[in-house]
Amino acid sequence: MKVVIIDYGAGNIKSIQFAFQRLGINTELTSSKSTILKADKVIFPGVGEASSAMNMLQHSSLDRLIPNLQQPVLGICLGMQLLCKYTEEGSTHGLGIFDVKVKKFDTRVKVPQVGWNVIKDLKSDVFVGIPEKSYMYLVHSYYAEICDETISKTDYGLEYTSALQKKNFYGVQFHPEKSGDLGEQILKNFIEI
Amino acid sequence: MLTKRIIPCLDIKDGRTVKGINFVNLRDAGDPVELAKQYAKKGADELVFLDISATKEARKTTREMVLKVAEQVNIPFTVGGGISSVEDVYILLNNGADKISINSSAVKRPELINNLANKYGSQCVVVAIDAKKINSSWNVHLAGGSIPTKIDVFDWAKEVESRGAGEILFTSMNHDGTKNGFANDVLAKLSSELNIPVIASGGAGKQQHFIDVFKQGKADAALAASVFHFGEINIVDLKKTLKQQQIEVRL
């Protein structure tokens, strides 16, 4: 099993590597296209600002590689948002895997949302063994709307998408690598797909 | 619903936890990694490590400690103390810290907040504010609360938010160490005037204080040290009490 984490300069990748390490799974941090293409599973991480992250992807032409991947791909946090069609953050066009817009939370709630919130209406093989309304750790100012590809919902001022799936592409808004044992279970499920 | 967070704070010196820690079944109470793992198991939502080392050498030890914590702990953690540059933050984040907390350096050089938020995102920038009530006004204090300034807390908090901080960690020097409860009035005012989360610190002594800081103080999270370290308050029990009071928590 070869698991790669795409390295395009976007944020804290160590935590994700360590989470897999705790599961006994070795990961390789790489920006090499051939290594990514050959991997069994691909993790697409990201924290920070959307337009600069997208620029970095374009700079390394990973924006053309990622949408064509055939193996299971998991976008985490900003990684998930960049798999969407468009995000209001920096008016950024994403990779367009998920046909959904990412919007900013309005000021009725505190922004960013920071902390543990529940995920519900779970559907997908990545949630095997995860009880409805489990708590996951989230830190974000922008959210994906509800759409056909929604596989988990969360409430924060409104109901939004906390996970997405389309074919081999998965995206989670929360941080499974920081969400205790249940978060680690989700990573394990993804590896076992 | 988003839950209220309970955050134990660990003081670190030369890569080891200081202050008495009285945990059962702990092989080494001075080992931050061991302690952090225990807290993650015992219901803590996040952890804060505050480096109180005096020297640069000692801070290097803390960086190594951060790497070990990140390796073994599956909840988020913040590192603060002695951070004064983008370079310092880069090393800590690269070693696996989820957030960093800056205090005096932000007051001395407010643009550091902008630089960090632009480079790493607001989500990892916590600005700690130590304040003391002098007559009727709340003033920002530096260097662990020892140096007073003329800066008004509310003005500073708003500036910090506009410069891109993701959270504020507010400590009342009047309440810290008293175990008489949090500074709920000033916290409630901060929380209503800001649109970023406020972490309350200083004054935790019993479970009721946490109920009060969430209900009256409108805090988004509460931080404490000794009540948790000495086992005076068990986090799971505390959360059960909070839940009975209709305060949303992760149990």
Side-chain angles (χ1 to χ4, degrees), chain A residues 12 14 18 22 109-111 113-114 116-117 135 137 139 178 180-181 184, chain B residues 1-3 45 70-71 74 94 97-99 123 191 195-196 220 249-250:
Chain A
N12 187 349
K14 275 268 163 41
F18 286 147
R22 289 193 292 273
V109 289
K110 289 197 174 183
V111 184
Q113 171 177 221
V114 181
W116 299 79
N117 201 336
Y135 286 102
Y137 186 77
V139 188
K178 284 288 161 181
D181 297 341
E184 284 173 358
Chain B
M1 237 174 90
L2 182 66
T3 65
D45 294 309
E71 247 175 27
N74 59 15
N94 206 39
D98 297 287
K99 311 182 215 180
Q123 82 291 331
S191 194
N195 199 42
I196 54 175
D220 298 285
V249 286
R250 177 181 71 112

PDB file of all heavy atoms in Angstrom, chain A residues 12 14 18 22 109-111 113-114 116-117 135 137 139 178 180-181 184, chain B residues 1-3 45 70-71 74 94 97-99 123 191 195-196 220 249-250:
ATOM      1  N   ASN A  12       0.226  22.746   7.341  1.00  0.00           N
ATOM      2  CA  ASN A  12       0.647  21.756   8.316  1.00  0.00           C
ATOM      3  C   ASN A  12       0.340  20.331   7.856  1.00  0.00           C
ATOM      4  O   ASN A  12      -0.764  19.836   7.995  1.00  0.00           O
ATOM      5  CB  ASN A  12      -0.067  22.043   9.635  1.00  0.00           C
ATOM      6  CG  ASN A  12       0.435  21.175  10.750  1.00  0.00           C
ATOM      7  OD1 ASN A  12       1.164  20.213  10.539  1.00  0.00           O
ATOM      8  ND2 ASN A  12       0.041  21.501  11.957  1.00  0.00           N
ATOM      9  N   LYS A  14       2.501  17.736   8.698  1.00  0.00           N
ATOM     10  CA  LYS A  14       3.051  16.820   9.713  1.00  0.00           C
ATOM     11  C   LYS A  14       1.948  16.068  10.454  1.00  0.00           C
ATOM     12  O   LYS A  14       2.044  14.854  10.632  1.00  0.00           O
ATOM     13  CB  LYS A  14       3.889  17.602  10.738  1.00  0.00           C
ATOM     14  CG  LYS A  14       5.322  17.822  10.308  1.00  0.00           C
ATOM     15  CD  LYS A  14       6.207  16.699  10.812  1.00  0.00           C
ATOM     16  CE  LYS A  14       7.543  16.612  10.121  1.00  0.00           C
ATOM     17  NZ  LYS A  14       8.212  17.858   9.841  1.00  0.00           N
ATOM     18  N   PHE A  18       1.660  12.106  10.827  1.00  0.00           N
ATOM     19  CA  PHE A  18       1.716  11.460  12.149  1.00  0.00           C
ATOM     20  C   PHE A  18       0.478  10.619  12.421  1.00  0.00           C
ATOM     21  O   PHE A  18       0.562   9.552  13.024  1.00  0.00           O
ATOM     22  CB  PHE A  18       1.888  12.513  13.247  1.00  0.00           C
ATOM     23  CG  PHE A  18       3.280  13.100  13.308  1.00  0.00           C
ATOM     24  CD1 PHE A  18       3.470  14.415  13.682  1.00  0.00           C
ATOM     25  CD2 PHE A  18       4.394  12.323  13.016  1.00  0.00           C
ATOM     26  CE1 PHE A  18       4.747  14.965  13.757  1.00  0.00           C
ATOM     27  CE2 PHE A  18       5.676  12.867  13.086  1.00  0.00           C
ATOM     28  CZ  PHE A  18       5.853  14.191  13.455  1.00  0.00           C
ATOM     29  N   ARG A  22       0.469   6.704  13.377  1.00  0.00           N
ATOM     30  CA  ARG A  22      -0.163   6.075  14.552  1.00  0.00           C
ATOM     31  C   ARG A  22      -1.001   4.879  14.133  1.00  0.00           C
ATOM     32  O   ARG A  22      -1.222   3.965  14.909  1.00  0.00           O
ATOM     33  CB  ARG A  22      -1.047   7.093  15.294  1.00  0.00           C
ATOM     34  CG  ARG A  22      -0.259   8.179  16.035  1.00  0.00           C
ATOM     35  CD  ARG A  22      -1.139   8.955  17.000  1.00  0.00           C
ATOM     36  NE  ARG A  22      -2.133   9.791  16.346  1.00  0.00           N
ATOM     37  CZ  ARG A  22      -1.924  11.046  15.931  1.00  0.00           C
ATOM     38  NH1 ARG A  22      -0.749  11.614  16.118  1.00  0.00           N
ATOM     39  NH2 ARG A  22      -2.881  11.729  15.350  1.00  0.00           N
ATOM     40  N   VAL A 109     -22.606  34.165  13.055  1.00  0.00           N
ATOM     41  CA  VAL A 109     -21.798  33.235  13.853  1.00  0.00           C
ATOM     42  C   VAL A 109     -20.367  33.765  13.918  1.00  0.00           C
ATOM     43  O   VAL A 109     -19.978  34.599  13.106  1.00  0.00           O
ATOM     44  CB  VAL A 109     -21.789  31.815  13.231  1.00  0.00           C
ATOM     45  CG1 VAL A 109     -23.132  31.152  13.392  1.00  0.00           C
ATOM     46  CG2 VAL A 109     -21.359  31.852  11.771  1.00  0.00           C
ATOM     47  N   LYS A 110     -19.612  33.273  14.896  1.00  0.00           N
ATOM     48  CA  LYS A 110     -18.212  33.682  14.971  1.00  0.00           C
ATOM     49  C   LYS A 110     -17.416  33.005  13.862  1.00  0.00           C
ATOM     50  O   LYS A 110     -17.628  31.838  13.566  1.00  0.00           O
ATOM     51  CB  LYS A 110     -17.643  33.312  16.335  1.00  0.00           C
ATOM     52  CG  LYS A 110     -18.211  34.188  17.433  1.00  0.00           C
ATOM     53  CD  LYS A 110     -17.375  34.111  18.688  1.00  0.00           C
ATOM     54  CE  LYS A 110     -17.901  35.113  19.704  1.00  0.00           C
ATOM     55  NZ  LYS A 110     -17.075  35.135  20.923  1.00  0.00           N
ATOM     56  N   VAL A 111     -16.550  33.779  13.256  1.00  0.00           N
ATOM     57  CA  VAL A 111     -15.744  33.280  12.138  1.00  0.00           C
ATOM     58  C   VAL A 111     -14.271  33.532  12.449  1.00  0.00           C
ATOM     59  O   VAL A 111     -13.916  34.671  12.762  1.00  0.00           O
ATOM     60  CB  VAL A 111     -16.134  34.017  10.833  1.00  0.00           C
ATOM     61  CG1 VAL A 111     -15.368  33.441   9.655  1.00  0.00           C
ATOM     62  CG2 VAL A 111     -17.636  33.911  10.587  1.00  0.00           C
ATOM     63  N   GLN A 113     -15.108  29.281  12.469  1.00  0.00           N
ATOM     64  CA  GLN A 113     -15.627  28.273  13.387  1.00  0.00           C
ATOM     65  C   GLN A 113     -14.401  27.506  13.878  1.00  0.00           C
ATOM     66  O   GLN A 113     -13.602  27.021  13.081  1.00  0.00           O
ATOM     67  CB  GLN A 113     -16.577  27.299  12.684  1.00  0.00           C
ATOM     68  CG  GLN A 113     -16.940  26.133  13.602  1.00  0.00           C
ATOM     69  CD  GLN A 113     -17.946  25.129  13.042  1.00  0.00           C
ATOM     70  OE1 GLN A 113     -18.821  24.675  13.752  1.00  0.00           O
ATOM     71  NE2 GLN A 113     -17.818  24.775  11.780  1.00  0.00           N
ATOM     72  N   VAL A 114     -14.246  27.431  15.187  1.00  0.00           N
ATOM     73  CA  VAL A 114     -13.115  26.698  15.753  1.00  0.00           C
ATOM     74  C   VAL A 114     -13.642  25.726  16.788  1.00  0.00           C
ATOM     75  O   VAL A 114     -14.315  26.149  17.729  1.00  0.00           O
ATOM     76  CB  VAL A 114     -12.115  27.645  16.466  1.00  0.00           C
ATOM     77  CG1 VAL A 114     -10.933  26.853  17.025  1.00  0.00           C
ATOM     78  CG2 VAL A 114     -11.614  28.732  15.541  1.00  0.00           C
ATOM     79  N   TRP A 116     -15.095  21.598  18.071  1.00  0.00           N
ATOM     80  CA  TRP A 116     -15.697  20.294  17.782  1.00  0.00           C
ATOM     81  C   TRP A 116     -17.171  20.473  17.485  1.00  0.00           C
ATOM     82  O   TRP A 116     -17.901  21.079  18.246  1.00  0.00           O
ATOM     83  CB  TRP A 116     -15.521  19.369  18.988  1.00  0.00           C
ATOM     84  CG  TRP A 116     -14.089  19.107  19.337  1.00  0.00           C
ATOM     85  CD1 TRP A 116     -13.250  19.949  20.019  1.00  0.00           C
ATOM     86  CD2 TRP A 116     -13.319  17.943  19.023  1.00  0.00           C
ATOM     87  NE1 TRP A 116     -12.008  19.362  20.151  1.00  0.00           N
ATOM     88  CE2 TRP A 116     -12.024  18.136  19.555  1.00  0.00           C
ATOM     89  CE3 TRP A 116     -13.601  16.748  18.342  1.00  0.00           C
ATOM     90  CZ2 TRP A 116     -11.014  17.177  19.429  1.00  0.00           C
ATOM     91  CZ3 TRP A 116     -12.603  15.799  18.224  1.00  0.00           C
ATOM     92  CH2 TRP A 116     -11.318  16.018  18.764  1.00  0.00           C
ATOM     93  N   ASN A 117     -17.599  19.917  16.354  1.00  0.00           N
ATOM     94  CA  ASN A 117     -19.004  19.981  15.983  1.00  0.00           C
ATOM     95  C   ASN A 117     -19.401  18.607  15.448  1.00  0.00           C
ATOM     96  O   ASN A 117     -18.544  17.796  15.112  1.00  0.00           O
ATOM     97  CB  ASN A 117     -19.211  21.077  14.930  1.00  0.00           C
ATOM     98  CG  ASN A 117     -20.648  21.554  14.866  1.00  0.00           C
ATOM     99  OD1 ASN A 117     -21.582  20.829  15.238  1.00  0.00           O
ATOM    100  ND2 ASN A 117     -20.849  22.780  14.400  1.00  0.00           N
ATOM    101  N   TYR A 135     -18.447  13.743  16.979  1.00  0.00           N
ATOM    102  CA  TYR A 135     -17.771  15.046  17.004  1.00  0.00           C
ATOM    103  C   TYR A 135     -16.474  15.009  16.209  1.00  0.00           C
ATOM    104  O   TYR A 135     -15.679  14.077  16.353  1.00  0.00           O
ATOM    105  CB  TYR A 135     -17.458  15.458  18.439  1.00  0.00           C
ATOM    106  CG  TYR A 135     -18.681  15.910  19.191  1.00  0.00           C
ATOM    107  CD1 TYR A 135     -19.307  15.079  20.112  1.00  0.00           C
ATOM    108  CD2 TYR A 135     -19.225  17.170  18.951  1.00  0.00           C
ATOM    109  CE1 TYR A 135     -20.440  15.492  20.791  1.00  0.00           C
ATOM    110  CE2 TYR A 135     -20.359  17.593  19.629  1.00  0.00           C
ATOM    111  CZ  TYR A 135     -20.962  16.753  20.552  1.00  0.00           C
ATOM    112  OH  TYR A 135     -22.079  17.167  21.209  1.00  0.00           O
ATOM    113  N   TYR A 137     -13.184  17.739  14.723  1.00  0.00           N
ATOM    114  CA  TYR A 137     -12.559  19.042  14.943  1.00  0.00           C
ATOM    115  C   TYR A 137     -12.509  19.844  13.640  1.00  0.00           C
ATOM    116  O   TYR A 137     -12.036  19.355  12.612  1.00  0.00           O
ATOM    117  CB  TYR A 137     -11.151  18.873  15.507  1.00  0.00           C
ATOM    118  CG  TYR A 137     -10.521  20.201  15.876  1.00  0.00           C
ATOM    119  CD1 TYR A 137     -10.891  20.856  17.050  1.00  0.00           C
ATOM    120  CD2 TYR A 137      -9.587  20.813  15.048  1.00  0.00           C
ATOM    121  CE1 TYR A 137     -10.347  22.078  17.396  1.00  0.00           C
ATOM    122  CE2 TYR A 137      -9.034  22.041  15.383  1.00  0.00           C
ATOM    123  CZ  TYR A 137      -9.421  22.664  16.560  1.00  0.00           C
ATOM    124  OH  TYR A 137      -8.884  23.876  16.890  1.00  0.00           O
ATOM    125  N   VAL A 139     -11.820  23.831  11.814  1.00  0.00           N
ATOM    126  CA  VAL A 139     -11.349  25.221  11.869  1.00  0.00           C
ATOM    127  C   VAL A 139     -11.503  25.786  10.471  1.00  0.00           C
ATOM    128  O   VAL A 139     -10.734  25.452   9.573  1.00  0.00           O
ATOM    129  CB  VAL A 139      -9.855  25.317  12.237  1.00  0.00           C
ATOM    130  CG1 VAL A 139      -9.467  26.761  12.483  1.00  0.00           C
ATOM    131  CG2 VAL A 139      -9.515  24.492  13.450  1.00  0.00           C
ATOM    132  N   LYS A 178      -6.955  15.265  13.599  1.00  0.00           N
ATOM    133  CA  LYS A 178      -6.981  15.955  14.896  1.00  0.00           C
ATOM    134  C   LYS A 178      -8.275  15.678  15.634  1.00  0.00           C
ATOM    135  O   LYS A 178      -8.617  16.376  16.577  1.00  0.00           O
ATOM    136  CB  LYS A 178      -6.830  17.466  14.672  1.00  0.00           C
ATOM    137  CG  LYS A 178      -5.420  17.875  14.338  1.00  0.00           C
ATOM    138  CD  LYS A 178      -4.530  17.778  15.569  1.00  0.00           C
ATOM    139  CE  LYS A 178      -3.072  17.722  15.211  1.00  0.00           C
ATOM    140  NZ  LYS A 178      -2.236  17.608  16.424  1.00  0.00           N
ATOM    141  N   GLY A 180      -9.352  12.951  17.333  1.00  0.00           N
ATOM    142  CA  GLY A 180      -9.340  11.816  18.254  1.00  0.00           C
ATOM    143  C   GLY A 180      -9.403  10.475  17.541  1.00  0.00           C
ATOM    144  O   GLY A 180      -9.049  10.350  16.362  1.00  0.00           O
ATOM    145  N   ASP A 181      -9.902   9.467  18.279  1.00  0.00           N
ATOM    146  CA  ASP A 181      -9.913   8.107  17.743  1.00  0.00           C
ATOM    147  C   ASP A 181     -10.869   7.956  16.552  1.00  0.00           C
ATOM    148  O   ASP A 181     -10.588   7.220  15.608  1.00  0.00           O
ATOM    149  CB  ASP A 181     -10.310   7.116  18.845  1.00  0.00           C
ATOM    150  CG  ASP A 181      -9.286   7.117  19.988  1.00  0.00           C
ATOM    151  OD1 ASP A 181      -8.143   7.585  19.754  1.00  0.00           O
ATOM    152  OD2 ASP A 181      -9.632   6.665  21.093  1.00  0.00           O
ATOM    153  N   GLU A 184      -9.287   9.176  13.412  1.00  0.00           N
ATOM    154  CA  GLU A 184      -8.320   8.183  12.910  1.00  0.00           C
ATOM    155  C   GLU A 184      -9.042   7.027  12.215  1.00  0.00           C
ATOM    156  O   GLU A 184      -8.558   6.486  11.221  1.00  0.00           O
ATOM    157  CB  GLU A 184      -7.435   7.680  14.064  1.00  0.00           C
ATOM    158  CG  GLU A 184      -6.380   8.720  14.446  1.00  0.00           C
ATOM    159  CD  GLU A 184      -5.570   8.356  15.683  1.00  0.00           C
ATOM    160  OE1 GLU A 184      -5.825   7.293  16.302  1.00  0.00           O
ATOM    161  OE2 GLU A 184      -4.668   9.143  16.035  1.00  0.00           O
TER     162      GLU A 184
ATOM    163  N   MET B   1     -24.335  21.173  16.906  1.00  0.00           N
ATOM    164  CA  MET B   1     -23.878  22.498  17.351  1.00  0.00           C
ATOM    165  C   MET B   1     -22.406  22.480  17.732  1.00  0.00           C
ATOM    166  O   MET B   1     -21.902  21.479  18.227  1.00  0.00           O
ATOM    167  CB  MET B   1     -24.692  22.928  18.581  1.00  0.00           C
ATOM    168  CG  MET B   1     -25.402  24.251  18.383  1.00  0.00           C
ATOM    169  SD  MET B   1     -26.476  24.621  19.775  1.00  0.00           S
ATOM    170  CE  MET B   1     -25.378  25.528  20.841  1.00  0.00           C
ATOM    171  N   LEU B   2     -21.765  23.601  17.521  1.00  0.00           N
ATOM    172  CA  LEU B   2     -20.370  23.729  17.934  1.00  0.00           C
ATOM    173  C   LEU B   2     -20.323  23.674  19.465  1.00  0.00           C
ATOM    174  O   LEU B   2     -21.110  24.317  20.136  1.00  0.00           O
ATOM    175  CB  LEU B   2     -19.820  25.071  17.452  1.00  0.00           C
ATOM    176  CG  LEU B   2     -18.348  25.346  17.763  1.00  0.00           C
ATOM    177  CD1 LEU B   2     -17.445  24.395  17.005  1.00  0.00           C
ATOM    178  CD2 LEU B   2     -17.996  26.795  17.422  1.00  0.00           C
ATOM    179  N   THR B   3     -19.378  22.900  19.983  1.00  0.00           N
ATOM    180  CA  THR B   3     -19.325  22.744  21.439  1.00  0.00           C
ATOM    181  C   THR B   3     -18.425  23.795  22.085  1.00  0.00           C
ATOM    182  O   THR B   3     -17.569  24.383  21.446  1.00  0.00           O
ATOM    183  CB  THR B   3     -18.766  21.361  21.824  1.00  0.00           C
ATOM    184  OG1 THR B   3     -17.402  21.279  21.401  1.00  0.00           O
ATOM    185  CG2 THR B   3     -19.547  20.236  21.197  1.00  0.00           C
ATOM    186  N   ASP B  45     -10.433  18.945  24.995  1.00  0.00           N
ATOM    187  CA  ASP B  45     -10.758  19.236  23.600  1.00  0.00           C
ATOM    188  C   ASP B  45      -9.551  19.749  22.827  1.00  0.00           C
ATOM    189  O   ASP B  45      -9.480  19.611  21.607  1.00  0.00           O
ATOM    190  CB  ASP B  45     -11.871  20.284  23.531  1.00  0.00           C
ATOM    191  CG  ASP B  45     -13.164  19.729  24.085  1.00  0.00           C
ATOM    192  OD1 ASP B  45     -13.570  18.636  23.652  1.00  0.00           O
ATOM    193  OD2 ASP B  45     -13.757  20.364  24.968  1.00  0.00           O
ATOM    194  N   ALA B  70       3.106  16.119  18.652  1.00  0.00           N
ATOM    195  CA  ALA B  70       2.368  15.989  17.391  1.00  0.00           C
ATOM    196  C   ALA B  70       2.337  14.536  16.917  1.00  0.00           C
ATOM    197  O   ALA B  70       1.345  14.074  16.364  1.00  0.00           O
ATOM    198  CB  ALA B  70       2.988  16.882  16.325  1.00  0.00           C
ATOM    199  N   GLU B  71       3.416  13.840  17.160  1.00  0.00           N
ATOM    200  CA  GLU B  71       3.500  12.436  16.748  1.00  0.00           C
ATOM    201  C   GLU B  71       2.459  11.575  17.452  1.00  0.00           C
ATOM    202  O   GLU B  71       1.888  10.673  16.873  1.00  0.00           O
ATOM    203  CB  GLU B  71       4.879  11.894  17.133  1.00  0.00           C
ATOM    204  CG  GLU B  71       5.752  11.566  15.967  1.00  0.00           C
ATOM    205  CD  GLU B  71       7.142  11.141  16.449  1.00  0.00           C
ATOM    206  OE1 GLU B  71       7.292  10.628  17.581  1.00  0.00           O
ATOM    207  OE2 GLU B  71       8.077  11.343  15.690  1.00  0.00           O
ATOM    208  N   ASN B  74      -3.714  12.970  19.325  1.00  0.00           N
ATOM    209  CA  ASN B  74      -4.654  13.135  18.217  1.00  0.00           C
ATOM    210  C   ASN B  74      -5.723  14.202  18.444  1.00  0.00           C
ATOM    211  O   ASN B  74      -6.803  14.141  17.891  1.00  0.00           O
ATOM    212  CB  ASN B  74      -5.283  11.788  17.836  1.00  0.00           C
ATOM    213  CG  ASN B  74      -6.033  11.144  18.990  1.00  0.00           C
ATOM    214  OD1 ASN B  74      -6.335  11.790  19.978  1.00  0.00           O
ATOM    215  ND2 ASN B  74      -6.354   9.867  18.849  1.00  0.00           N
ATOM    216  N   ASN B  94       5.808  23.689  11.517  1.00  0.00           N
ATOM    217  CA  ASN B  94       6.452  22.613  10.776  1.00  0.00           C
ATOM    218  C   ASN B  94       6.718  21.398  11.662  1.00  0.00           C
ATOM    219  O   ASN B  94       6.799  20.270  11.183  1.00  0.00           O
ATOM    220  CB  ASN B  94       7.760  23.135  10.169  1.00  0.00           C
ATOM    221  CG  ASN B  94       8.144  22.369   8.947  1.00  0.00           C
ATOM    222  OD1 ASN B  94       7.290  22.008   8.149  1.00  0.00           O
ATOM    223  ND2 ASN B  94       9.425  22.086   8.811  1.00  0.00           N
ATOM    224  N   ALA B  97       2.741  21.746  15.461  1.00  0.00           N
ATOM    225  CA  ALA B  97       1.798  22.523  16.271  1.00  0.00           C
ATOM    226  C   ALA B  97       0.634  22.934  15.376  1.00  0.00           C
ATOM    227  O   ALA B  97       0.827  23.223  14.199  1.00  0.00           O
ATOM    228  CB  ALA B  97       2.480  23.763  16.841  1.00  0.00           C
ATOM    229  N   ASP B  98      -0.588  22.931  15.930  1.00  0.00           N
ATOM    230  CA  ASP B  98      -1.744  23.316  15.120  1.00  0.00           C
ATOM    231  C   ASP B  98      -1.937  24.818  15.117  1.00  0.00           C
ATOM    232  O   ASP B  98      -2.380  25.393  14.136  1.00  0.00           O
ATOM    233  CB  ASP B  98      -3.006  22.640  15.657  1.00  0.00           C
ATOM    234  CG  ASP B  98      -2.890  21.152  15.549  1.00  0.00           C
ATOM    235  OD1 ASP B  98      -2.984  20.645  14.433  1.00  0.00           O
ATOM    236  OD2 ASP B  98      -2.649  20.492  16.582  1.00  0.00           O
ATOM    237  N   LYS B  99      -1.637  25.428  16.248  1.00  0.00           N
ATOM    238  CA  LYS B  99      -1.775  26.884  16.363  1.00  0.00           C
ATOM    239  C   LYS B  99      -0.615  27.395  17.197  1.00  0.00           C
ATOM    240  O   LYS B  99       0.002  26.649  17.959  1.00  0.00           O
ATOM    241  CB  LYS B  99      -3.071  27.263  17.098  1.00  0.00           C
ATOM    242  CG  LYS B  99      -4.315  26.582  16.605  1.00  0.00           C
ATOM    243  CD  LYS B  99      -5.517  27.082  17.382  1.00  0.00           C
ATOM    244  CE  LYS B  99      -6.535  25.993  17.591  1.00  0.00           C
ATOM    245  NZ  LYS B  99      -7.717  26.399  18.327  1.00  0.00           N
ATOM    246  N   GLN B 123      -6.496  30.751  11.087  1.00  0.00           N
ATOM    247  CA  GLN B 123      -6.893  29.619  11.938  1.00  0.00           C
ATOM    248  C   GLN B 123      -5.797  29.196  12.898  1.00  0.00           C
ATOM    249  O   GLN B 123      -6.077  28.560  13.912  1.00  0.00           O
ATOM    250  CB  GLN B 123      -7.359  28.438  11.081  1.00  0.00           C
ATOM    251  CG  GLN B 123      -6.277  27.531  10.513  1.00  0.00           C
ATOM    252  CD  GLN B 123      -5.441  28.193   9.437  1.00  0.00           C
ATOM    253  OE1 GLN B 123      -5.900  29.064   8.727  1.00  0.00           O
ATOM    254  NE2 GLN B 123      -4.193  27.784   9.328  1.00  0.00           N
ATOM    255  N   SER B 191     -16.630  39.076  24.105  1.00  0.00           N
ATOM    256  CA  SER B 191     -17.264  38.102  23.225  1.00  0.00           C
ATOM    257  C   SER B 191     -18.331  38.751  22.352  1.00  0.00           C
ATOM    258  O   SER B 191     -18.494  38.391  21.189  1.00  0.00           O
ATOM    259  CB  SER B 191     -17.860  36.976  24.060  1.00  0.00           C
ATOM    260  OG  SER B 191     -18.187  35.900  23.237  1.00  0.00           O
ATOM    261  N   ASN B 195     -15.965  39.146  16.672  1.00  0.00           N
ATOM    262  CA  ASN B 195     -16.589  38.074  15.909  1.00  0.00           C
ATOM    263  C   ASN B 195     -15.648  36.881  15.731  1.00  0.00           C
ATOM    264  O   ASN B 195     -15.823  36.064  14.833  1.00  0.00           O
ATOM    265  CB  ASN B 195     -17.079  38.598  14.555  1.00  0.00           C
ATOM    266  CG  ASN B 195     -18.112  37.672  13.969  1.00  0.00           C
ATOM    267  OD1 ASN B 195     -18.986  37.186  14.682  1.00  0.00           O
ATOM    268  ND2 ASN B 195     -17.989  37.375  12.690  1.00  0.00           N
ATOM    269  N   ILE B 196     -14.630  36.798  16.590  1.00  0.00           N
ATOM    270  CA  ILE B 196     -13.774  35.602  16.609  1.00  0.00           C
ATOM    271  C   ILE B 196     -13.912  34.963  17.991  1.00  0.00           C
ATOM    272  O   ILE B 196     -14.307  35.626  18.949  1.00  0.00           O
ATOM    273  CB  ILE B 196     -12.286  35.947  16.306  1.00  0.00           C
ATOM    274  CG1 ILE B 196     -11.753  37.027  17.252  1.00  0.00           C
ATOM    275  CG2 ILE B 196     -12.108  36.359  14.862  1.00  0.00           C
ATOM    276  CD1 ILE B 196     -10.263  37.318  17.086  1.00  0.00           C
ATOM    277  N   ASP B 220     -16.102  31.051  24.401  1.00  0.00           N
ATOM    278  CA  ASP B 220     -16.198  29.923  23.466  1.00  0.00           C
ATOM    279  C   ASP B 220     -15.413  28.724  23.969  1.00  0.00           C
ATOM    280  O   ASP B 220     -15.656  27.599  23.571  1.00  0.00           O
ATOM    281  CB  ASP B 220     -15.667  30.365  22.099  1.00  0.00           C
ATOM    282  CG  ASP B 220     -16.503  31.495  21.532  1.00  0.00           C
ATOM    283  OD1 ASP B 220     -17.623  31.209  21.078  1.00  0.00           O
ATOM    284  OD2 ASP B 220     -16.073  32.668  21.606  1.00  0.00           O
ATOM    285  N   VAL B 249     -21.290  20.277  24.886  1.00  0.00           N
ATOM    286  CA  VAL B 249     -19.899  19.830  25.033  1.00  0.00           C
ATOM    287  C   VAL B 249     -19.709  18.509  24.295  1.00  0.00           C
ATOM    288  O   VAL B 249     -20.675  17.818  23.980  1.00  0.00           O
ATOM    289  CB  VAL B 249     -19.506  19.615  26.520  1.00  0.00           C
ATOM    290  CG1 VAL B 249     -19.317  20.940  27.236  1.00  0.00           C
ATOM    291  CG2 VAL B 249     -20.518  18.738  27.230  1.00  0.00           C
ATOM    292  N   ARG B 250     -18.477  18.165  24.048  1.00  0.00           N
ATOM    293  CA  ARG B 250     -18.154  16.886  23.399  1.00  0.00           C
ATOM    294  C   ARG B 250     -17.913  15.860  24.483  1.00  0.00           C
ATOM    295  O   ARG B 250     -16.978  15.974  25.268  1.00  0.00           O
ATOM    296  CB  ARG B 250     -16.896  17.046  22.554  1.00  0.00           C
ATOM    297  CG  ARG B 250     -16.416  15.763  21.897  1.00  0.00           C
ATOM    298  CD  ARG B 250     -15.167  16.006  21.095  1.00  0.00           C
ATOM    299  NE  ARG B 250     -14.011  16.260  21.928  1.00  0.00           N
ATOM    300  CZ  ARG B 250     -12.965  15.442  22.047  1.00  0.00           C
ATOM    301  NH1 ARG B 250     -12.923  14.313  21.360  1.00  0.00           N
ATOM    302  NH2 ARG B 250     -11.955  15.743  22.814  1.00  0.00           N
TER     303      ARG B 250
END
